[in-house]
Amino acid sequence: MTERLVVIGGDAGGMGAAGQVRRRRPDMEIVALEKGRWTSYSACGIPYHVAGDVASLEDLVARTPQEFRQQRIDMRVGHEVTDVDLDTRQVAVRDHEHQRTYRLAFDQVLFGTGARPRRPDLPGIDADHIHGVQTLDDASRLMAAIERRPPHHVVVVGGGYIGLEMAEAFTKRDAQVTVVEAGRQVMGTLDPEMGAMVAAAMVRHGIDVRTGTRVTGFEADVVHTDAGPLPADLVVLGLGVTPNAELAEAAGLELGAGGAIRVDRRQAASAEGTWAAGDCAESFHRVLRRPVHIALGTVANKQSRVAGINIAGGYAAFPGVLGTAVSRLCDTEVARTGLTEAEAVAAGIGHVAATIESTTRAGYFPGTKPLTVKVVCERGTGRLLGAQIVGQEGAAKRIDVLATAIWTELSAGELIDVDLSYAPPFSPVWDPVAVAAREVAKLV
Amino acid sequence: MTERLVVIGGDAGGMGAAGQVRRRRPDMEIVALEKGRWTSYSACGIPYHVAGDVASLEDLVARTPQEFRQQRIDMRVGHEVTDVDLDTRQVAVRDHEHQRTYRLAFDQVLFGTGARPRRPDLPGIDADHIHGVQTLDDASRLMAAIERRPPHHVVVVGGGYIGLEMAEAFTKRDAQVTVVEAGRQVMGTLDPEMGAMVAAAMVRHGIDVRTGTRVTGFEADVVHTDAGPLPADLVVLGLGVTPNAELAEAAGLELGAGGAIRVDRRQAASAEGTWAAGDCAESFHRVLRRPVHIALGTVANKQSRVAGINIAGGYAAFPGVLGTAVSRLCDTEVARTGLTEAEAVAAGIGHVAATIESTTRAGYFPGTKPLTVKVVCERGTGRLLGAQIVGQEGAAKRIDVLATAIWTELSAGELIDVDLSYAPPFSPVWDPVAVAAREVAKLV
């Protein structure tokens, strides 16, 4: 009998694997079940659609259900898996369009169920004007709401990447935007002084940034905080995400870091023939040397590729993550990889850190822009632990050099001499990355 | 008695070391002898001054003689070393301004004598309208010539980086520019199909590119070639450089790769207390595993730092080069690192190569631009050997990720999973570097 793979979830965590399996095992049957309308899309592009930079939500779709079907992947949208039975090896599926429920047998099952925005347990949290931004379905609901009633006052709850990107997007729609963050800084994934540079850029851009302020509840047109009420015709949740691991847990699979599905290096979950990849799965952190939950499109795509190779009978291992991330916020570029100083302290790793100012091009070259690079490395050994960059155009992608250096366990002293490229339109003769390495190496 | 270091040459090869020694050994006397007028400058910036993008030659100077003197470095400009005697440990110096010659004792001597443009032995080669572009003195002579008689027809002899950068610069001065290259392609440091993309960009920019054409001689206003005469009121030499190693050779020091001064890992030359760094010295190539001569500002700065640490009694080793280089030519960005396919063949290294097309930002993101990445790796092992990038704005600096990966001897398969950053304004979800690694890994 034909072997059947059931993929739960039609986005990055699931569909990269489906593609790998299709290429490697033309004989295998692949059924992909997506509860929403959209498949394989760039959720990271949503803020740019809201801002008006990207014309249509369809532009964010990498592959449509029709395109998957042309690859002989049986993609069923509007089909929600409600139960996974590992004894009978069947999933229960709700077909929302035809209002029917059916069961489907599988030999192997891949969880690519993603994550959902955290919703704090506060009065009024379920009101219609409170939006998470995780899926294209979320985005279409949000756009419909904007068109019905263009918002004058937007409150973003939480100061992470997605919240801040959405904050900027709404300024382009001429809304008055307030970011409310309970912690002492926005961009909590950066060290405070680096996060402060981003906050300053947001404020210069006309965004009201309120740190140390806790939301206490929601009403129509008002967000209540411990520092008083804020007008809000529309609220965006930017408090991070929770892995959609309930289905896997109910099936008896083990959960791991951050409540995500526990996986091994091959993306195998804890029962034979079960796999997980993407925002619903944990990842191994190469610097911390333990599993973490990091929900990022890059990680989802890589894990899915690894899962697919293994499902198809090949061998692949996912070597882990560094938590590398980049964003452009209010003409400011910001990037991080590895550990911040605060994270090194929390992990009990002895460290030294240095911060340098440099420029994106030769100092004399037209269009050169300032940038700040912070590098953290292990005390004693000099092993690179992490880096952060805040700057203007042309600054942030340099984080990839630091990510590659951390990945390969270079020390700061070794990074100084790596043969990086130079020409006046691209960097000073000592690239800012090397300058930062040189400074931190002095402290080891 | 105070120990004295004599540094021969006031630019990158010498002065980085002088700075290191000053900081580490406050007691040591440092005399730096520069035959020209300028110290510590960005020769790479000259084309941008010629183009009018950088207002003044002074803008290219990182540190003036006066600034060195404030650091207690006895910087003497217009002083040319004419002989180095390792027996008496004295240099002979010609002070051009005062037309006198004197001798100066040293304990240690550092050669930072740089390189000079190659001048083919052809009729008329010494004419005044034929310019090399290596030093700021060269640049001031060139600018004076341009001001005396703005050129209508410029011929660039040789199709390397500097020649092509100068070609573009002269188009900004409304000159008709012809590049004459004896080989089959411009950008001979790239594989032919990558070089062809650069040539196409130059031609679109209105530059006449003549490959397979040999210059046979020069006359006033004419360059003779084996394909006929070309009008030329000004000629730029872009045939690469020769190390200025004669002084070291005459002193009895060994020469190495490409006629450059032979050095060990610490930048020590072949006699006690003698050192060399920068364009006059050889470098160890990490992929070829043998010395080469590569004249680049980045290498000069790094070697000079290493030499300085060692001269001051510390310990530092220069780990080598990959021949990483980057340039912006006619709105096209171009970069390379490690070996081209042709160089792998020449070195007898079994290889596979893949070339991919991608974009600088997410495909749907405004301002996304095409780029081409070629990756070469070792057959069997998959060890990365080299990479080339040609593309538009935002393309070329990615070469640094590949350089870091080659530096640390990653395989193509390992590079696929490195945690590189992603957001729609910066790259597709699979960075072009990872896409290229994925394609070439399939061929290993």
Side-chain angles (χ1 to χ4, degrees):
Chain A
M1 226 187 75
T2 310
E3 194 178 346
R4 183 188 289 153
L5 166 67
V6 166
V7 177
I8 309 175
D11 195 10
M15 299 316 295
Q20 284 289 335
V21 172
R22 184 69 305 151
R23 274 192 294 281
R24 289 161 183 264
R25 287 282 307 273
D27 60 302
M28 201 184 279
E29 190 185 342
I30 305 172
V31 182
L33 301 159
E34 165 56 45
K35 69 177 174 181
R37 289 169 53 204
W38 307 85
T39 57
S40 274
Y41 51 83
S42 170
C44 309
I46 295 171
Y48 307 102
H49 175 57
V50 173
D53 295 333
V54 174
S56 132
L57 275 185
E58 275 77 12
D59 292 340
L60 303 183
V61 174
R63 207 158 287 176
T64 62
Q66 186 53 31
E67 288 171 307
F68 282 116
R69 284 179 210 124
Q70 282 162 4
Q71 278 190 280
R72 292 196 304 113
I73 292 169
D74 182 357
M75 168 59 78
R76 306 181 188 178
V77 293
H79 286 230
E80 182 172 2
V81 175
T82 54
D83 183 62
V84 179
D85 186 329
L86 294 178
D87 296 324
T88 62
R89 296 194 92 69
Q90 290 186 330
V91 292
V93 185
R94 179 68 183 170
D95 172 356
H96 289 294
E97 194 193 343
H98 301 98
Q99 305 239 347
R100 69 189 181 99
T101 300
Y102 64 96
R103 296 182 77 78
L104 184 70
F106 61 83
D107 298 283
Q108 302 196 65
V109 62
L110 169 63
F111 292 85
T113 44
R116 61 183 181 277
R118 276 198 202 110
R119 297 184 92 86
D121 185 18
L122 290 173
I125 183 71
D126 292 322
D128 279 350
H129 71 301
I130 302 178
H131 294 268
V133 190
Q134 183 68 7
T135 64
L136 284 204
D137 286 302
D138 291 344
S140 15
R141 272 191 296 275
L142 175 63
M143 292 308 295
I146 292 171
E147 274 151 38
R148 256 193 329 270
R149 192 175 75 151
H152 299 292
H153 294 94
V154 172
V155 170
V156 173
V157 183
Y161 288 93
I162 182 74
L164 299 187
E165 287 169 3
M166 290 301 293
E168 182 181 12
F170 277 106
T171 65
K172 295 202 181 171
R173 292 188 162 267
D174 297 322
Q176 194 59 46
V177 181
T178 305
V179 174
V180 181
E181 163 63 47
R184 292 173 59 186
Q185 63 171 114
V186 295
M187 293 300 275
T189 53
L190 300 183
D191 281 321
E193 77 283 10
M194 302 296 278
M197 290 188 237
V198 180
M202 312 279 303
V203 169
R204 281 197 302 273
H205 217 77
I207 295 168
D208 186 357
V209 177
R210 307 206 177 179
T211 53
T213 304
R214 193 170 293 278
V215 172
T216 54
F218 304 90
E219 272 185 273
D221 299 334
V222 177
V223 171
H224 292 286
T225 78
D226 58 5
L230 293 167
D233 1 279
L234 194 146
V235 175
V236 173
L237 296 174
L239 294 162
V241 296
T242 302
N244 290 325
E246 289 78 2
L247 206 55
E249 188 179 22
L253 296 180
E254 288 173 27
L255 302 190
I261 302 170
R262 172 161 293 164
V263 290
D264 67 10
R265 284 170 62 84
R266 301 183 70 194
Q267 300 301 133
S270 60
E272 181 68 26
T274 66
W275 309 83
D279 292 357
C280 65
E282 64 179 17
S283 306
F284 179 76
H285 195 292
R286 289 172 68 91
V287 179
L288 292 173
R289 299 182 181 180
R290 61 173 171 77
V292 294
H293 178 237
I294 289 182
L296 284 175
T298 46
V299 174
N301 274 281
K302 286 171 191 164
Q303 289 186 339
S304 196
R305 174 178 172 274
V306 166
I309 292 170
N310 289 317
I311 292 168
Y315 184 89
F318 181 66
V321 299
L322 299 173
T324 310
V326 65
S327 183
R328 195 178 71 185
L329 292 164
C330 301
D331 303 324
T332 298
E333 297 187 359
V334 50
R336 57 154 282 151
T337 187
L339 305 186
T340 60
E341 221 180 331
E343 288 166 342
V345 170
I349 303 176
H351 77 282
V352 294
T355 303
I356 63 103
E357 312 281 325
S358 183
T359 53
T360 54
R361 306 177 177 190
Y364 58 78
F365 200 83
T368 192
K369 307 275 188 187
L371 86 174
T372 303
V373 181
K374 179 171 184 175
V375 173
V376 182
C377 70
E378 190 171 40
R379 201 190 303 150
T381 69
R383 177 170 66 107
L384 292 162
L385 297 173
Q388 298 157 68
I389 299 175
V390 177
Q392 293 180 33
E393 193 183 356
K397 250 297 188 181
R398 282 179 165 81
I399 203 73
D400 287 351
V401 175
L402 289 151
T404 308
I406 295 168
W407 186 271
T408 55
E409 304 206 340
L410 281 190
S411 69
E414 288 169 324
L415 179 57
I416 297 171
D417 284 319
V418 173
D419 195 359
L420 303 179
S421 63
Y422 156 66
F426 298 97
S427 78
V429 66
W430 288 96
D431 192 275
V433 163
V435 175
R438 222 168 50 186
E439 289 309 307
V440 78
K442 290 178 187 166
L443 309 174
V444 172
Chain B
M1 227 188 74
T2 310
E3 194 178 346
R4 182 187 290 153
L5 166 67
V6 166
V7 177
I8 309 174
D11 195 11
M15 299 316 295
Q20 284 289 335
V21 172
R22 183 71 304 150
R23 275 192 293 281
R24 288 161 184 264
R25 287 282 308 274
D27 60 302
M28 200 184 278
E29 189 184 343
I30 306 172
V31 182
L33 302 160
E34 165 56 45
K35 70 177 175 182
R37 288 169 53 203
W38 307 85
T39 58
S40 274
Y41 51 83
S42 170
C44 309
I46 295 171
Y48 307 102
H49 175 56
V50 173
D53 295 333
V54 175
S56 133
L57 275 186
E58 275 77 11
D59 292 339
L60 303 183
V61 174
R63 207 158 287 175
T64 62
Q66 185 54 29
E67 288 171 308
F68 282 115
R69 284 179 211 124
Q70 282 162 4
Q71 278 191 281
R72 293 197 303 113
I73 292 170
D74 181 357
M75 168 59 78
R76 305 181 189 177
V77 291
H79 287 231
E80 182 173 1
V81 174
T82 56
D83 183 63
V84 178
D85 187 331
L86 294 178
D87 295 324
T88 62
R89 296 195 93 67
Q90 288 187 331
V91 291
V93 186
R94 178 68 184 169
D95 172 357
H96 289 294
E97 194 193 345
H98 302 97
Q99 306 238 347
R100 69 190 182 101
T101 301
Y102 63 97
R103 297 183 77 78
L104 185 69
F106 61 82
D107 298 283
Q108 302 196 64
V109 62
L110 169 62
F111 292 84
T113 44
R116 61 182 180 278
R118 276 199 201 107
R119 297 184 91 87
D121 186 17
L122 290 173
I125 184 71
D126 292 322
D128 278 350
H129 70 300
I130 302 178
H131 294 267
V133 189
Q134 183 67 8
T135 63
L136 285 204
D137 286 302
D138 291 344
S140 13
R141 273 190 295 275
L142 175 63
M143 292 307 295
I146 291 171
E147 274 152 36
R148 256 193 328 270
R149 192 175 75 151
H152 299 292
H153 294 94
V154 172
V155 170
V156 173
V157 183
Y161 287 92
I162 182 75
L164 298 188
E165 287 169 2
M166 291 300 295
E168 182 182 11
F170 277 106
T171 65
K172 295 202 180 170
R173 293 189 162 267
D174 297 322
Q176 195 58 46
V177 181
T178 305
V179 174
V180 181
E181 164 62 47
R184 291 172 60 185
Q185 63 171 113
V186 294
M187 293 299 276
T189 53
L190 300 183
D191 281 322
E193 77 282 13
M194 302 295 278
M197 289 188 238
V198 180
M202 312 280 304
V203 169
R204 282 196 302 274
H205 216 77
I207 295 169
D208 186 358
V209 177
R210 307 206 178 180
T211 53
T213 303
R214 194 170 292 278
V215 171
T216 54
F218 304 91
E219 272 184 272
D221 299 333
V222 178
V223 171
H224 293 286
T225 78
D226 59 5
L230 293 167
D233 4 277
L234 193 145
V235 174
V236 173
L237 296 174
L239 294 162
V241 296
T242 301
N244 291 324
E246 290 79 1
L247 206 55
E249 189 178 22
L253 296 180
E254 288 172 26
L255 303 189
I261 302 170
R262 171 160 293 163
V263 290
D264 67 11
R265 284 170 62 83
R266 301 183 71 195
Q267 301 299 133
S270 60
E272 181 68 27
T274 66
W275 309 83
D279 293 356
C280 66
E282 64 180 17
S283 306
F284 179 75
H285 194 291
R286 288 172 69 91
V287 179
L288 293 173
R289 299 180 183 183
R290 60 172 171 77
V292 294
H293 178 237
I294 289 182
L296 284 174
T298 46
V299 175
N301 275 281
K302 286 171 191 163
Q303 290 186 338
S304 196
R305 174 178 171 276
V306 166
I309 292 170
N310 289 316
I311 292 168
Y315 184 88
F318 181 67
V321 299
L322 299 173
T324 311
V326 65
S327 184
R328 195 178 71 184
L329 292 164
C330 301
D331 302 324
T332 297
E333 297 187 357
V334 50
R336 56 154 283 153
T337 186
L339 305 187
T340 61
E341 222 181 331
E343 288 166 342
V345 170
I349 303 176
H351 77 281
V352 294
T355 303
I356 62 103
E357 312 281 325
S358 183
T359 52
T360 54
R361 305 177 177 190
Y364 58 78
F365 201 84
T368 192
K369 307 274 188 187
L371 86 173
T372 303
V373 182
K374 179 171 184 175
V375 172
V376 182
C377 71
E378 190 171 39
R379 201 191 303 150
T381 69
R383 177 171 66 107
L384 293 163
L385 298 173
Q388 298 156 67
I389 299 174
V390 178
Q392 293 179 35
E393 192 182 357
K397 250 296 188 180
R398 282 178 165 82
I399 203 74
D400 287 350
V401 174
L402 290 150
T404 308
I406 296 169
W407 187 270
T408 54
E409 304 206 341
L410 281 190
S411 70
E414 289 169 323
L415 179 56
I416 296 171
D417 284 318
V418 172
D419 195 359
L420 303 180
S421 63
Y422 155 67
F426 298 98
S427 79
V429 66
W430 288 96
D431 192 275
V433 163
V435 175
R438 222 169 52 186
E439 289 309 307
V440 77
K442 291 178 187 165
L443 310 174
V444 171

